[in-house]
Amino acid sequence: MIVWTVANQKGGVGKTTSTVTLGALLAQQGKRVILVDTDPHASLSYYFGVDSEELSTSLYDVFTSAKKLTADRVLDCLCPTKLDSLFILPATMALATLDRTMGNQGGMGLVLKKALQLVEKEFDFALMDCPPVLGVLMVNALAACHRILIPVQTEFLALKGLDRMMHTLEIMQKSQPHPYRFTIIPTMFDKRTNAAIEAYRKLRETYGDLVWNGVIPVDTRFRDASQAQSPPPVFCPRSRGVFAYNSLLKYLLSLESPA
C-alpha cells in the first residue's frame, strides 16, 4: 500500500480538495483506496456526507485502542462512499483532545502507521488529510507516509506558510530514520493575475524540483462538487480542475513506480 499525506500548516490551500480528488481518481482506476481524516473539524468526512458526530466508531477509536489494535478494529471504523473501492476513516471533534490526553504516551506517534500496516493487504493507496497545526495527528500522518504532498495556494501569504511548514519538517526529520519525500503542489492558480504568476515563479525559484511543474487552477466547479457532497471526478469529470489533478496523479504515480 502506498501512503500519501496531504499537509500544510496553513489552512485554505486545497488540502481536502486534493485528498478527495486524488482518492476518487485512483478509485475510478480500480484501486482500493482509504482516505484518512485526521482533522478534528472533519471536513473530509463531511465532504462525503459522513456526519462523524453521529458515528459509533471513528479514527478516535483507532487511537484509544492503540495498544490492542487489530485489523478488524480498523476496518470496523471505515465508512463506505458512493465509489465502491473508496472508503473513509472519519474524524470527530474528540480528536482535538488527543494532544492533551495521549500526547505524552510512548509510541503515540506511530499509531496510524501501525493501523495502516494492519490493513495494507486490503488497500492499494491511503491518503491522509491533515489539520493545519502540528500535533500528535500530523506527527502520526507524517510518520506513516511514503510521500508528503504539500498544496500551496499561489499567493505570497501562502508561500510564507510553506516556509514554516518546511522548517517544521526539517526539525522533525532529525528524529526520522528515512528522509521525507516531498511534492509541492501549486493550487488555486489564476493565470489572469500577476500576483499568482509571480508567486508561482517564486515557488519554483525557491524549491526547484520539489515543486510539481503543473498547477491546479481556480475552478468554481470544486465548490459545486463540495456542496453536492460528490468528488469532483464524479461530479464534474471534464472540468479543468479535474484535468489538472489527473496530470498530477500521473506525475505522482511515475515517482512511485521505481519503488
Side-chain angles (χ1 to χ4, degrees):
M1 179 170 62
I2 294 172
V3 183
W4 293 335
T5 288
V6 184
N8 194 325
Q9 285 178 271
K10 186 180 187 305
V13 297
K15 293 191 298 294
T16 300
T17 297
S18 296
T19 306
V20 169
T21 307
L22 290 171
L25 287 171
L26 285 166
Q28 287 181 334
Q29 293 180 13
K31 306 297 184 183
R32 287 182 60 80
V33 183
I34 177 174
L35 303 183
V36 184
D37 192 351
T38 69
D39 190 338
H41 289 104
S43 296
L44 176 64
S45 304
Y46 286 124
Y47 198 112
F48 288 90
V50 176
D51 188 348
S52 55
E53 301 310 314
E54 295 184 358
L55 296 173
S56 57
T57 56
S58 69
L59 179 60
Y60 181 74
D61 297 277
V62 171
F63 279 91
T64 56
S65 305
K67 293 183 179 179
K68 50 184 178 180
L69 198 58
T70 64
D72 286 342
R73 181 58 169 163
V74 177
L75 293 173
D76 284 344
C77 294
L78 300 183
C79 294
T81 71
K82 294 178 181 178
L83 290 172
D84 289 342
S85 59
L86 184 67
F87 296 83
I88 306 293
L89 182 49
T92 65
M93 282 302 295
L95 288 172
T97 67
L98 287 179
D99 281 292
R100 175 172 50 84
T101 59
M102 300 182 180
N104 294 324
Q105 294 182 21
M108 286 306 295
L110 298 174
V111 174
L112 262 180
K113 183 174 184 176
K114 293 175 181 177
L116 292 177
Q117 287 174 339
L118 287 171
V119 298
E120 63 182 354
K121 293 182 179 179
E122 302 289 332
F123 297 94
D124 302 300
F125 284 85
L127 281 77
M128 292 184 278
D129 187 19
C130 288
V133 293
L134 180 62
V136 69
L137 290 163
M138 185 183 287
V139 167
N140 265 267
L142 294 176
C145 73
H146 299 105
R147 179 171 298 277
I148 304 167
L149 309 183
I150 310 177
V152 181
Q153 184 179 357
T154 43
E155 58 96 17
F156 278 97
L157 286 179
L159 298 191
K160 291 295 184 182
L162 175 61
D163 291 342
R164 289 193 298 272
M165 181 70 191
M166 297 301 284
H167 180 64
T168 295
L169 293 175
E170 183 179 338
I171 294 172
M172 293 182 61
Q173 180 67 80
K174 297 174 182 178
S175 62
Q176 300 299 315
H178 305 290
Y180 288 130
R181 296 193 295 167
F182 310 99
T183 297
I184 297 170
I185 305 166
T187 61
M188 303 180 189
F189 181 75
D190 188 345
K191 64 181 181 181
R192 300 169 297 179
T193 66
N194 290 331
I197 293 170
E198 181 60 21
Y200 178 74
R201 184 196 65 78
K202 182 69 173 177
L203 195 61
R204 296 283 301 179
E205 180 183 280
T206 304
Y207 294 101
D209 291 341
L210 292 176
V211 183
W212 172 50
N213 61 8
V215 295
I216 304 299
V218 171
D219 191 340
T220 58
R221 299 292 280 163
F222 286 154
R223 189 185 309 116
D224 297 337
S226 174
Q227 186 174 359
Q229 295 182 323
S230 178
V234 175
F235 183 81
C236 48
R238 297 184 180 180
S239 66
R240 58 180 181 170
V242 171
F243 180 82
Y245 273 110
N246 253 314
S247 297
L248 171 62
L249 180 59
K250 290 177 183 177
Y251 172 74
L252 294 173
L253 292 176
S254 74
L255 296 178
E256 300 296 343
S257 57

